[in-house]
Amino acid sequence: MLKLEHVDKAYADHHALNDINLDFKEHETTVLLGPSGAGKSTLLRSLNLLEEPEKGIYKIGDHTIDFSKDISNKEKLQIRQLTGMVFQSWNLFPHLTILQNITEGPIHVLKQDKIAAQKDAMHLLELVGLVETKDRFPNQLSGGQQQRISICRALAMKPEYMLFDEPTSALDPEIEAQVLRVLLKLAKEKQSMIVVTHNLEFARRVADKIVFLENGQIEFEGTKDEFFNHPTERIQAFLTGMKL
Amino acid sequence: MWETIVKSTPEIVGAGIKYSIPLALISFVIAMVIAVATALARTTEPKGSGVAKSCFKVLRWIISFYIWLFRSTPLLVQLFIVFFGLPSVGIQLDAFTAGIITFSLNTGAYCSESVRGAIISIPKSQWEAAYAIGMSYPQVLFRIIFPQAMRVAIPPLSNSFIGLVKDTSLASSITILEMFTVSQQIAAKNYEPMLMYCMVAVYYAVFCSILSIGQYYLEKYTSRYIVNGG
Ligand SMILES: Nc1ncnc2c1ncn2[C@@H]1O[C@H](COP(=O)(O)OP(=O)(O)O)[C@@H](O)[C@H]1O
Ligand SMILES: [Mg+2]
């Protein structure tokens, strides 16, 4: 269970999140849509505590955080382990091999046994079809391959929720499919996911729920049927803009 | 000529092993500790209460002042102040200690800039990716940032180290019996200044060349993940 209540986040000159109330159910895929600058990344990064909103309540697992109070370092690290982040530009660790990239967290954060961590990592590499790259360094891989590895890196921590921030926006359309295939697999396995994307086709196929964000506010929250078949005027404008 | 060379070599090299190399090594280790600590203080954003932030601000100001001070005054003058000047305010140091303190602070000031440059050359996204998998600040620093920053820092740090080795010859002016002092003393006795000073120059060059070779392998090792193709 992941829940936000009355969350507010402002940057120096800009109100990025405005009274956000959201529920993300387990084993569901929530797709977060909205125009550029709507606050989608800020929302996702707040769940991973890379950003800290000024106000609001955040509940995940057994944790309840009040953003208006100081969060202890220990709790911060624990919550980060519950949320696996996949960045738009993947951000693999260039000085570590592919296998080390995936086992870094399990071994040094979760203190797992090295052999067991490597075994798990090999299973993940199988899942994304990149077993043969295990001893290479990230810059020997293509963007689409690196993004699939970064998904493995996040999955290796066994997070409760996977967070994807436009995971395919930096990729060519033909490579995008390789990454989306992994997301589809995860959705089918009922991994809890929150996905920011501009790929409407993907939203149509896997979204259990769609959240539409605009100017830091939730404009819509509901099923994909409602979203695509009975859009409000603003959503209609957004959808039309996307197709152009 | 060969006889003179063979006769004076043990003395000069002995002085190198006894004073020049320890001076350079110990000073460089201390300088690196100073450099990393000050570079971190200057690249980390403090969090927490207003008081802590103000203290941090003062600390940064002190660090900037220290770096400015040691980079804008001559090393020889610094040595004289520490060894000949401080006794007049009641701080009496033996020559070797005075040398270590001055060389460490001087080299630390230069290396601080190199280390800071290397740390800020690593993109913020690397910090974020490491934090995102639940790493603590020390883990991010030692496992993700430093290994990458090393690659950037090694060339300028090697320069500083090699510079330091040569600068230890300035310790002759504060009565330390290092290589250059000893060669001066021998030259005064055998009236062969040309030969003695060329000899000591060669020994410095040998030490520095060994360091350059070390630098080459370190650079190779820390760049092993920069591979083309694939
Ligand atoms: N670090 C930051 N400092 C200042 N403003 C920011 C920062 N990050 C994002 N913003 C602003 O906050 C708003 C929301 O940004 P973001 O969450 O990145 O939107 P989205 O991901 O939906 O495109 C934008 O107007 C953006 O310019
Ligand atoms: Mg964004």
Side-chain angles (χ1 to χ4, degrees), chain A residues 85-92 98 101-102 121 123-133 136 138 141-156 162 164 167-168 171 174-186:
Chain A
M85 185 76 156
V86 174
F87 300 90
Q88 180 174 342
S89 49
W90 41 87
N91 307 345
L92 292 180
I98 296 307
N101 262 277
I102 302 173
H123 284 304
L124 290 170
L125 282 172
E126 254 169 62
L127 173 85
V128 301
L130 288 171
V131 172
E132 75 284 357
T133 66
R136 290 194 218 154
L141 269 57
S142 71
Q145 290 175 324
Q146 291 195 48
Q147 187 60 299
R148 283 184 277 162
I149 299 301
S150 95
I151 295 173
C152 294
R153 176 177 67 183
L155 282 172
M162 284 288 285
F164 296 86
T168 61
L171 299 172
E174 60 274 28
I175 294 170
E176 183 177 12
Q178 303 171 348
V179 175
L180 289 181
R181 214 171 300 140
V182 175
L183 267 73
L184 291 174
K185 246 188 223 178
L186 293 176

Side-chain angles (χ1 to χ4, degrees), chain B residues 100-119:
Chain B
I100 294 276
I101 290 174
T102 315
F103 288 127
S104 305
L105 288 171
N106 183 279
T107 307
Y110 283 95
C111 292
S112 178
E113 290 289 275
S114 307
V115 172
R116 188 175 75 102
I119 290 174

